Short mmCIF file of all heavy atoms in Angstrom, two decimals:
data_model
loop_
_atom_site.label_atom_id
_atom_site.label_comp_id
_atom_site.label_asym_id
_atom_site.label_seq_id
_atom_site.Cartn_x
_atom_site.Cartn_y
_atom_site.Cartn_z
N GLY A 751 6.82 -35.01 -50.71
CA GLY A 751 6.07 -34.46 -51.79
C GLY A 751 4.75 -33.76 -51.43
O GLY A 751 3.94 -33.45 -52.32
N LEU A 753 3.76 -30.79 -50.81
CA LEU A 753 4.17 -29.37 -50.93
C LEU A 753 3.17 -28.42 -50.39
O LEU A 753 3.54 -27.40 -49.74
CB LEU A 753 4.63 -29.08 -52.37
CG LEU A 753 5.84 -29.78 -52.84
CD1 LEU A 753 6.10 -29.38 -54.29
CD2 LEU A 753 7.02 -29.40 -51.99
N ASP A 754 1.90 -28.62 -50.65
CA ASP A 754 0.89 -27.69 -50.12
C ASP A 754 0.96 -27.59 -48.67
O ASP A 754 0.89 -26.49 -48.05
CB ASP A 754 -0.51 -28.08 -50.63
CG ASP A 754 -0.75 -27.90 -52.06
OD1 ASP A 754 0.09 -27.09 -52.71
OD2 ASP A 754 -1.66 -28.49 -52.61
N ILE A 757 4.23 -25.81 -47.54
CA ILE A 757 4.13 -24.35 -47.67
C ILE A 757 3.25 -23.82 -46.61
O ILE A 757 3.65 -22.75 -45.96
CB ILE A 757 3.65 -24.04 -49.11
CG1 ILE A 757 4.74 -24.35 -50.11
CG2 ILE A 757 3.24 -22.52 -49.21
CD1 ILE A 757 4.26 -24.37 -51.59
N LEU A 786 10.29 -23.75 -51.60
CA LEU A 786 9.13 -24.66 -51.59
C LEU A 786 8.13 -24.16 -52.67
O LEU A 786 7.63 -25.02 -53.47
CB LEU A 786 8.43 -24.65 -50.27
CG LEU A 786 9.13 -25.40 -49.14
CD1 LEU A 786 8.48 -25.09 -47.80
CD2 LEU A 786 9.18 -26.92 -49.42
N ARG A 787 7.89 -22.91 -52.78
CA ARG A 787 6.96 -22.39 -53.75
C ARG A 787 7.46 -22.65 -55.19
O ARG A 787 6.65 -22.86 -56.06
CB ARG A 787 6.68 -20.93 -53.52
CG ARG A 787 5.85 -20.66 -52.33
CD ARG A 787 5.64 -19.14 -52.05
NE ARG A 787 4.72 -18.91 -50.93
CZ ARG A 787 4.85 -17.87 -50.18
NH1 ARG A 787 5.76 -16.95 -50.32
NH2 ARG A 787 3.95 -17.71 -49.14
N ALA A 788 8.77 -22.60 -55.37
CA ALA A 788 9.36 -22.85 -56.68
C ALA A 788 9.19 -24.30 -57.13
O ALA A 788 9.13 -24.62 -58.28
CB ALA A 788 10.83 -22.48 -56.65
N GLN A 789 9.09 -25.22 -56.11
CA GLN A 789 8.89 -26.62 -56.42
C GLN A 789 7.46 -26.98 -56.77
O GLN A 789 7.23 -27.99 -57.36
CB GLN A 789 9.28 -27.46 -55.17
CG GLN A 789 10.77 -27.49 -54.93
CD GLN A 789 11.03 -28.27 -53.64
OE1 GLN A 789 10.13 -28.67 -52.90
NE2 GLN A 789 12.33 -28.51 -53.35
N GLN A 790 6.56 -26.08 -56.36
CA GLN A 790 5.12 -26.33 -56.62
C GLN A 790 4.86 -26.31 -58.16
O GLN A 790 5.36 -25.43 -58.83
CB GLN A 790 4.27 -25.26 -55.93
CG GLN A 790 3.25 -25.82 -55.09
CD GLN A 790 2.47 -24.66 -54.42
OE1 GLN A 790 2.72 -23.50 -54.58
NE2 GLN A 790 1.43 -25.08 -53.64
N ARG A 791 4.03 -27.19 -58.59
CA ARG A 791 3.60 -27.18 -59.98
C ARG A 791 2.54 -26.12 -60.13
O ARG A 791 1.69 -25.97 -59.27
CB ARG A 791 3.07 -28.57 -60.36
CG ARG A 791 4.12 -29.60 -60.32
CD ARG A 791 3.53 -30.92 -60.81
NE ARG A 791 4.61 -31.91 -60.64
CZ ARG A 791 4.43 -33.23 -60.74
NH1 ARG A 791 3.21 -33.67 -60.87
NH2 ARG A 791 5.38 -34.07 -60.60
N PRO A 792 2.54 -25.43 -61.30
CA PRO A 792 1.49 -24.49 -61.56
C PRO A 792 0.10 -25.21 -61.69
O PRO A 792 0.10 -26.32 -62.15
CB PRO A 792 1.90 -23.83 -62.88
CG PRO A 792 3.03 -24.54 -63.40
CD PRO A 792 3.47 -25.51 -62.33
N PRO A 793 -0.98 -24.49 -61.33
CA PRO A 793 -2.31 -25.13 -61.39
C PRO A 793 -2.71 -25.44 -62.83
O PRO A 793 -2.26 -24.96 -63.76
CB PRO A 793 -3.25 -24.08 -60.76
CG PRO A 793 -2.38 -22.82 -60.61
CD PRO A 793 -0.96 -23.11 -60.81
#
Side-chain angles (χ1 to χ4, degrees):
L753 291 177
D754 290 341
I757 290 167
L786 287 168
R787 288 177 176 149
Q789 291 177 352
Q790 234 180 357
R791 293 183 185 165

